[in-house]
Amino acid sequence: MGQQEKVATSLAGAVGEEISASLAPVDAELARRYPGDPGTRQPVHTVYVPGDAFAAGTVRTWGDAALAALDEHAPDAASLAAVLGLAEDLAGPVHDRVRAKLEREPIEDLRVDFEDGYQGRDEDQDAARAARLIAEAYASGTAAPYMGIRMKCMEAAVRDRGIRTLDIFLTGLMAAGGLPEGLVLTLPKVTYAEQVTAMARLLAAFEETHGLAPGRIGFEIQIETSQSILGPDGTATVARMIQAAEGRATGLHYGTFDYSACLGVSAAHQASDHPAADHAKAVMQVAAAGTGVRVCDGSTNVLPVGPTAQVHDAWRLHYGLTRRALARAYYQGWDMHPGHLPTRYAAVFAFYREGFEQAAARLARYAGQGGGDVMDEPATAKALGGYLLRGLDCGALDTAEVARLTGLTRADLESFAAPRRGDLTASAR
């Protein structure tokens, strides 16, 4: 093999060095503000249970109630398929997986609610009880993967009460053995970024008091007011809120009914597919992109209760809204009633199983640099890897079938789904 021909250049090496030096602050800022997805599991839903109603058996009670609803209103694959319009080849796998999920892990994320849903008379005791029960659930293996509380907001009228409840709850967890890995906190009705900063400082003070690592405790920001989307100066306030959290923000949760009412949407038209809701969530999605903060859709207030025909109507609505959200990359939503669980999981499982074979084949071709009728970019490989991982995490897919069709391990999928900064650009050259 002969020597490679030397290629000519015109610029001195110092030019590139000077450019790199000038962009070093930008590189650091980019890495700080946009670290990318954390690579951790994202639950498919959040269940809200009032603080005065939360009990040791709540997770199992919801699962049993959901199973009873399934048995009464769609006892087999054919009946569920008829209600939801599932394809014949999906009906069996989806029905079987929904039932298995409700038996094994009916709730993925549970928030004990001390805000709108709370009607208790002794919030101190209810907060302390929530901490004790959650600690016991994690110790016994009966907890949902993620659990925590929604406190009252940082507005003046309820600020002290919210801070005290949070303090009691976190102190109770520490006394019971420490903060669980699945701990999640929700700050509702945020209107100004300064309220987010206050929450971050509050958690920093708690960490310092207990000798915890700085940044150990994160929290979700609930988007329920118009001011959280568009500020008085015309800027996207939610983007400022993410930065104001000082690295602690884990999610942006859309509050369907408070936000709709804030904009004057009449009660009959308040829904997660209203144009006002679509606008708010689109702004949230763009603001959160690349920051590691996840976006969560809202809920429906139409409950699947009553005679079978009425339950089926509510199921079709919930299923359709969930599928719509998934297509728009909102991979998490709220569920307000045990009867919503069968259609939450049916929608999620159908979404991942419908596209499973095509996604697996495309990622396998990309990994092997093979042929095919679609030429995927590195960014699409990232999306394909994330799609398969989310399907695995929720139970829609099995590790063995993913490995069989892709030839890839979970670690391989994770490397595609969460590449290091710069890898996408470099591999596209």
Side-chain angles (χ1 to χ4, degrees):
M1 181 180 295
Q3 282 188 325
Q4 287 187 328
E5 183 179 349
K6 187 176 180 179
V7 296
T9 60
S10 300
L11 298 176
V15 174
E17 293 172 3
E18 290 172 3
I19 289 175
S20 292
S22 70
L23 289 177
V26 174
D27 295 339
E29 181 81 349
L30 186 62
R32 183 180 70 83
R33 291 185 181 272
Y34 300 100
D37 190 87
T40 55
R41 175 182 179 181
Q42 181 180 11
V44 302
H45 70 167
T46 300
V47 162
Y48 280 80
V49 178
D52 50 321
F54 178 63
T58 292
V59 173
R60 188 62 265 154
T61 298
W62 272 59
D64 290 343
L67 282 167
L70 189 65
D71 288 341
E72 180 178 357
H73 303 294
D76 52 42
S79 56
L80 185 65
V83 174
L84 303 180
L86 295 173
E88 185 176 346
D89 60 331
L90 277 179
V94 167
H95 189 274
D96 291 347
R97 287 170 187 272
V98 168
R99 169 166 282 283
K101 181 74 170 181
L102 295 176
E103 292 172 347
R104 182 187 75 255
E105 188 183 74
I107 296 176
E108 293 196 358
D109 183 28
L110 186 147
R111 208 70 71 249
V112 183
D113 189 15
F114 289 95
E115 205 232 354
D116 285 348
Y118 181 68
Q119 301 295 325
R121 297 184 178 181
D122 193 339
E123 191 161 335
D124 280 6
Q125 291 302 314
D126 286 337
R129 183 171 59 87
R132 175 175 56 81
L133 294 178
I134 287 176
E136 291 174 354
Y138 276 108
S140 66
T142 59
Y146 300 92
M147 300 185 79
I149 66 168
R150 176 170 70 168
M151 59 189 281
K152 288 179 172 62
C153 69
M154 283 291 181
E155 292 179 356
V158 295
R159 183 184 304 139
D160 290 344
R161 178 66 262 180
I163 291 173
R164 180 174 175 83
T165 294
L166 179 64
D167 188 5
I168 291 171
F169 176 70
L170 293 177
T171 300
L173 288 177
M174 292 300 296
L179 305 182
E181 287 300 317
L183 174 67
V184 189
L185 307 173
T186 304
L187 178 66
K189 292 184 174 63
V190 182
T191 52
Y192 282 82
E194 288 80 2
Q195 294 169 331
V196 175
T197 299
M199 181 68 167
R201 290 175 179 171
L202 180 64
L203 295 176
F206 187 89
E207 291 165 350
E208 184 176 0
T209 299
H210 288 274
L212 298 171
R216 164 65 181 84
I217 311 174
F219 63 98
E220 302 164 336
I221 302 168
Q222 198 157 357
I223 305 301
E224 302 177 272
T225 66
S226 61
Q227 296 93 336
S228 61
I229 293 297
L230 190 68
D233 58 354
T235 60
T237 319
V238 65
R240 292 184 57 227
M241 290 177 179
I242 292 173
Q243 298 308 313
E246 300 171 2
R248 295 179 185 271
T250 59
L252 301 175
H253 281 227
Y254 176 68
T256 303
F257 303 102
D258 281 283
Y259 187 85
S260 298
C262 184
L263 268 63
V265 178
S266 62
H269 297 284
Q270 293 176 0
S272 62
D273 59 350
H274 189 279
D278 285 341
H279 171 260
K281 286 179 286 188
V283 174
M284 291 162 60
Q285 189 173 46
V286 174
T291 65
V293 177
R294 272 88 175 253
V295 174
C296 176
D297 196 9
S299 61
T300 175
N301 59 357
V302 179
L303 304 183
V305 296
T308 294
Q310 186 171 318
V311 170
H312 286 180
D313 286 343
W315 272 358
R316 277 188 286 268
L317 174 65
H318 185 241
Y319 178 86
L321 290 173
T322 303
R323 288 300 305 262
R324 184 180 189 273
L326 289 167
R328 286 159 173 75
Y330 309 135
Y331 299 116
Q332 184 177 356
W334 297 13
D335 287 326
M336 308 302 291
H337 187 275
H340 286 140
L341 300 186
T343 37
R344 168 69 60 182
Y345 292 124
V348 170
F349 294 168
F351 175 76
Y352 288 113
R353 294 205 67 82
E354 280 177 359
F356 166 48
E357 291 189 3
Q358 183 186 56
R362 288 175 66 177
L363 190 57
R365 285 196 299 269
Y366 180 87
Q369 301 298 313
D373 58 357
V374 178
M375 186 170 65
D376 286 318
E377 296 280 340
T380 304
K382 176 181 178 179
L384 291 168
Y387 176 90
L388 295 175
L389 284 172
R390 286 190 295 271
L392 287 169
D393 285 340
C394 69
L397 307 175
D398 295 330
T399 302
E401 64 181 348
V402 173
R404 184 175 66 253
L405 292 189
T406 63
L408 302 172
T409 64
R410 183 180 178 96
D412 294 329
L413 296 178
E414 290 172 348
S415 70
F416 283 115
R420 295 185 303 275
R421 179 165 297 285
D423 284 359
L424 292 181
T425 301
S427 60
R429 290 172 186 155

